[in-house]
Structure formats: structure tokens, C-alpha cells
Amino acid sequence: MKFKVGERFHYNNAGYILLGLIIEKASKRSFAEYVQEFVLKKAGMADSGYFELDALPTNTALGYIDYPDGTWKTNSYSLPVKGGPDGGAYVSVGDMAMLWGALLDNRLLSEEYTQLLLSPHVAIEGDDYYGYGVWIKKNGSDILKYHVMGYDPGVSFHSAYYPTSSTIVVVCSNQSEGAYEVLQEMEEKIGLLK
């Protein structure tokens, strides 16, 4: 432990790997099977999952890694064969919107646990907080957005829910960077953080 619980924030993928191992031990299923049955299926996310690289759905976009000299290559040899608790799920924009809907409608967790997941547990910087796996932006006591993201070589992903307007935004990119910039531009142009 680097510090006491709730004292400071430090993101750590190893915590998600440990959580995945706990899920596997408690459920007696692989992590991917558990998520498929109790998250993706319950949320109606038919186009998402933990797929092996040599068995991707036909409509899967390839990821691309850009190099400073302007060249690029696919990310085929830069990812694990199959993702796990610390990342690597394949999602579609529509499915991610369904995930927000299922979470907010308490179809994935009880109302009590959904609120616990979406509660600010530790301050990061300024008005930014972290819940349980969810980034939270506040303005005073008002919550402006809930935000999740993911990065791997050749792919980036950002999605947010804005409670004031009940707006969901999902940006998937098949490049290592870019999704966050698109999300920021949308927030600015549409005024989602007001």
C-alpha cells in the first residue's frame, strides 16, 4: 500500500487484475464468461465482448499505431491474444450507450450499489474525483459527468454520461490517441459541462 484508503488517488491496473481473480474464484467462471453473462448480456450488448485476436467479429476495426515519422502499422502484435480484467474488451458505440442505460436503470447492480459505484470516493485534482472504476467531474456539489476510458496500442476509447442533460457520449478510435480530444471538442461545442 502506498497510502491509506481514501487518502490519495493513484490509478493501478493491477487492482483490476486482482478484482478479476476474485470474480473468477467467487463465480467459478472465467472473467470473460462472467462479464459476458452478467454485464454484456444483461445490458443487451450483442456486439461487444472479450474476443481472441484470431477470432474477431467480421465488423471489428483494426487499430493503428502512428509513428513520429508519419508511418503506421496495425496493432495486431501489440495486444494480448485476449483481454482481461485490466482491459482489452471490444465494444461498439451503440453497445456502450446501452451499458450506461443498464447501469443507470439499476439493471446491472441494485440502486444502492449503483450509487456507491458512482459516488466520489477520492479527490484527484480540482473538481475531478474517482468513484469505483468511474471518473467523476464535479462543480461544487453538482456532478457534471461520469467518465470511463481505455487505451491500448492502436486504440483509444472515451465515454461519458452527463446527468444534467441525461446525455451519453461514446467515442471509439482505432488509433492510440484522439478519442479524448473528440470528447473534449463535443463538450465544448455542445456545452455539455454547463
Side-chain angles (χ1 to χ4, degrees):
M1 298 289 287
K2 290 186 174 194
F3 33 80
K4 293 178 184 173
V5 174
E7 182 179 271
R8 280 185 29 216
F9 173 81
H10 181 80
Y11 185 84
N12 183 347
N13 265 359
Y16 288 97
I17 294 169
L18 181 59
L19 178 60
L21 292 171
I22 292 168
I23 289 169
E24 288 184 343
K25 183 81 169 171
S27 70
K28 299 191 180 358
R29 296 175 182 231
S30 76
F31 177 78
E33 290 171 340
Y34 185 87
V35 170
Q36 184 67 40
E37 183 69 25
F38 295 103
V39 178
L40 304 178
K41 188 174 176 184
K42 283 177 98 173
M45 299 172 68
D47 294 324
S48 300
Y50 285 93
F51 307 118
E52 294 176 0
L53 286 177
D54 61 354
L56 295 173
T58 56
N59 60 346
T60 302
L62 293 176
Y64 293 94
I65 300 170
D66 292 330
Y67 290 101
D69 67 0
T71 61
W72 55 269
K73 71 173 186 171
T74 67
N75 64 351
S76 299
Y77 295 107
S78 302
L79 300 173
V81 172
K82 187 174 184 177
D86 62 335
Y90 287 84
V91 297
S92 69
V93 170
D95 278 3
M96 191 60 211
M98 286 193 275
L99 180 65
W100 281 112
L103 178 65
L104 297 166
D105 289 345
N106 305 310
R107 287 183 275 140
L108 300 178
L109 299 167
S110 68
E111 184 175 356
E112 175 188 1
Y113 283 117
T114 299
Q115 290 307 310
L116 186 62
L117 179 103
L118 297 174
S119 294
H121 293 288
V122 64
I124 300 169
E125 184 180 312
D127 291 330
D128 293 323
Y129 293 81
Y130 201 66
Y132 289 141
V134 180
W135 303 86
I136 301 166
K137 183 162 208 59
K138 293 176 64 177
N139 181 11
S141 62
D142 296 331
I143 294 180
L144 300 179
K145 82 173 173 180
Y146 299 103
H147 181 214
V148 294
M149 68 185 93
Y151 289 90
D152 269 322
V155 292
S156 59
F157 156 85
H158 282 263
S159 182
Y161 172 71
Y162 305 85
T164 304
S165 61
S166 298
T167 301
I168 295 169
V169 173
V170 182
V171 181
C172 296
S173 174
N174 65 340
Q175 293 182 315
S176 300
E177 302 290 331
Y180 186 60
E181 290 77 11
V182 172
L183 181 77
Q184 283 183 309
E185 187 74 16
M186 292 174 75
E187 287 176 344
E188 196 175 297
K189 298 291 185 203
I190 301 171
L192 291 168
L193 293 177
K194 295 179 181 176

